Amino acid sequence: MTAPTSSLFSHVPPYAGDPILSLMEAFQADPRPNKVSLSIGVYFDDEGRLPVLPSVRQAETALSQDIGARPYLPIEGIAEFRAAVQRLLFGAGHEAVASGRIATLQTLGGSGGLKVGADFLRRYFPGAGVWVSDPTWDNHRAIFEGAGLDVHSYPYYDPATGGLSFDRMLASLDALPPRSIVLLHASCHNPTGVDLSKTQWQALIPVLRERELIPFVDIAYQGFGDGLDEDACALRALADAGIQFFAANSFSKNFSMYGERCGGLSVVCSDRDAADTVLGQLKATVRRNYSTPPTHGARVITRVLNDPTLFALWRDETAAMRQRIRAMRERLLAVLDEKFQGRRDFGYLVRQRGMFSYTGLDESQVARLRDDHAVYLVRSGRMCLSGLTGANVDHVAQAMAAVLA
Ligand code: KET
């Protein structure tokens, strides 16, 4: 045996780690019993456990009676899954669904939908740049840059108000070159929890149309804002307005099925023929990446979405998750308000929607929360509210008060 004397990979730099996922690893290794994870965008129940939704358990139990063979799925995924994605995102009776002008394929989570869409855009709109909100989910930039596209940002969050800089956002988009790609969050914006109102979406649409921009909507938290239909209203408004656009949806959070990697990519086109052509090239994109998608998670989700009883159960489960997060927002606000007696405004906690709030805590305050109090937030000051429970919310409020004092 002759071991190599030098590494072939000496020029390969070490991986700095993902800003979100590496925090999860650090949290798991932390021995302190009172530790609280408010970093990764994962829903925990009031016991701090990752739930297995009863709708999912029932669908899985039924499926286990009838597992059947596991052939390769079609490149585009399970047909009933894809149809269910369209109904969930656009509404069953939507003209764009009925006329067959949406190309949908099953993807490896929301991330897979973003990547397949990004690869397609890079190939067929090679000069187009991508504009993402400032700030956005860190991985947006990484995925689009990884596909070879230039990534820029548009104004979004206003730290002075804890709200949206809508006028600056609109003005910035109104100055983009035609066929630029604009990444938008449908609802429950990550990381700020700040969304466009319905009126603001209506004001954005003419800019998208007149500048000939290509919207790419990320919908990863459907059900966590105001409801399954309400959280998809931006997609429906764009489709109603005749805009052609991309939508990547994730089932990781609203099904609590993170590791199954289930999601979709839908491209709303002008007509059925265009959608068929787009679907064909999306299939080619998948084939040269990972060939075909996996079976199990998509079979479970298909069953829940297509069985009226299971669907109704799942709808209630998403409502319960949403309501628990809201209750935690209110509870944290109440404890902080009591501590600060009006010396500081925490109203953003209940104004921002979905899993996240942008606390405005700076990096050193986030580090003190972790080091001194075992409370984990993302470096940007993003807090995932679903890590709060009745048992830890007071500890978190105390810790925030200590680092803000
Ligand atoms: N889009 C957004 C906006 C998003 O927050 C996530 C995950 C995804 C897509 C990816 O979804 P998936 O189906 O898992 O591919 N966000 C959380 C987890 C992560 O960073 O991977 C988070 O922000 O904590």
Side-chain angles (χ1 to χ4, degrees):
M1 277 283 284
T2 317
T5 50
S6 65
S7 168
L8 180 60
F9 308 107
S10 54
H11 61 297
V12 178
Y15 177 42
D18 180 81
I20 297 174
L21 296 183
S22 56
L23 275 172
M24 204 58 217
E25 291 163 20
F27 177 79
Q28 270 148 9
D30 190 330
R32 290 174 287 181
N34 61 347
K35 63 183 177 176
V36 184
S37 173
L38 306 179
S39 57
I40 192 156
V42 164
Y43 176 86
F44 296 100
D45 65 16
D46 202 49
E47 313 292 315
R49 288 174 315 215
L50 201 66
V52 179
L53 303 184
S55 60
V56 168
R57 202 189 284 286
Q58 285 182 32
E60 225 157 12
T61 307
L63 273 172
S64 69
Q65 308 303 310
D66 174 29
I67 278 225
R70 286 166 204 244
Y72 285 127
L73 288 184
I75 300 173
E76 68 277 22
I78 300 173
E80 296 82 1
F81 175 95
R82 296 163 51 229
V85 165
Q86 292 192 355
R87 285 199 304 276
L88 191 64
L89 297 189
F90 299 95
H94 199 282
E95 166 280 321
V97 175
S99 66
R101 64 181 179 94
I102 309 178
T104 296
L105 76 172
Q106 177 189 332
T107 58
L108 302 184
S111 308
L114 290 163
K115 175 68 164 96
V116 171
D119 282 350
F120 174 93
L121 285 162
R122 173 75 180 100
R123 182 170 281 240
Y124 293 104
F125 298 84
V130 184
W131 271 261
V132 300
S133 60
D134 175 22
T136 193
W137 181 46
D138 291 304
N139 217 22
H140 279 147
R141 184 171 283 276
I143 288 174
F144 283 96
E145 281 179 356
L149 290 144
D150 285 334
V151 181
H152 318 269
S153 66
Y154 58 84
Y156 191 81
Y157 178 72
D158 180 359
T161 61
L164 184 62
S165 261
F166 186 63
D167 292 345
R168 289 179 58 227
M169 169 182 177
L170 215 53
S172 161
L173 298 183
D174 205 11
L176 295 188
R179 301 201 161 184
S180 297
I181 300 151
V182 180
L183 196 289
L184 297 159
H185 300 231
S187 46
C188 308
H189 183 270
N190 177 6
T192 65
V194 174
D195 289 337
L196 274 69
S197 66
K198 277 195 175 149
T199 322
Q200 287 168 330
W201 280 107
Q202 287 306 335
L204 175 64
I205 285 171
V207 173
L208 298 171
R209 180 184 301 115
E210 278 145 36
R211 304 298 312 185
E212 294 174 48
L213 303 175
I214 307 175
F216 199 139
V217 187
D218 185 343
I219 174 159
Y221 299 93
Q222 193 177 359
F224 285 91
D226 291 316
L228 290 172
D229 290 315
E230 293 82 347
D231 293 350
C233 71
L235 296 175
R236 298 172 189 188
L238 289 170
D240 287 346
I243 305 278
Q244 300 175 58
F245 67 101
F246 290 63
N249 77 284
S250 167
F251 288 123
S252 301
K253 334 265 170 178
N254 53 15
F255 272 89
S256 192
M257 285 178 58
Y258 304 87
E260 293 292 348
R261 313 304 301 129
C262 289
L265 174 66
S266 297
V267 185
V268 181
C269 303
S270 54
D271 54 73
R272 182 188 288 270
D273 284 349
D276 287 347
T277 306
V278 168
L279 184 67
Q281 289 302 337
L282 290 172
K283 286 165 62 173
T285 307
V286 166
R287 179 66 171 151
R288 56 181 171 253
N289 268 283
Y290 52 85
S291 189
T292 63
T295 46
H296 181 74
R299 281 183 178 167
V300 174
I301 289 172
T302 302
R303 194 157 191 129
V304 174
L305 293 180
N306 287 319
D307 176 307
T309 312
L310 289 180
F311 183 83
L313 177 58
W314 175 66
R315 180 185 283 277
D316 290 348
E317 290 159 353
T318 60
M321 294 193 279
R322 173 170 76 243
Q323 280 149 14
R324 196 188 87 72
I325 297 174
R326 255 196 224 152
M328 286 298 122
R329 286 180 178 278
E330 277 159 20
R331 179 81 183 276
L332 183 62
L333 174 65
V335 187
L336 286 168
D337 273 351
E338 205 193 312
K339 281 195 187 313
F340 282 82
Q341 296 292 329
R343 279 175 288 114
R344 213 183 161 99
D345 178 16
F346 294 98
Y348 67 83
L349 283 169
V350 291
R351 285 194 299 274
Q352 299 173 350
R353 330 194 63 66
M355 273 196 186
F356 304 115
S357 264
Y358 223 38
T359 60
L361 294 179
D362 64 27
E363 258 189 75
S364 71
Q365 290 167 324
V366 169
R368 279 174 55 210
L369 271 183
R370 187 186 57 236
D371 298 343
D372 301 348
H373 305 279
V375 174
Y376 285 70
L377 265 63
V378 177
R379 201 167 48 204
S380 62
R382 181 189 91 172
M383 175 189 280
C384 180
L385 280 304
S386 67
L388 291 174
T389 66
N392 69 24
V393 62
D394 290 328
H395 166 62
V396 170
Q398 304 267 14
M400 281 178 75
V403 304
L404 285 168

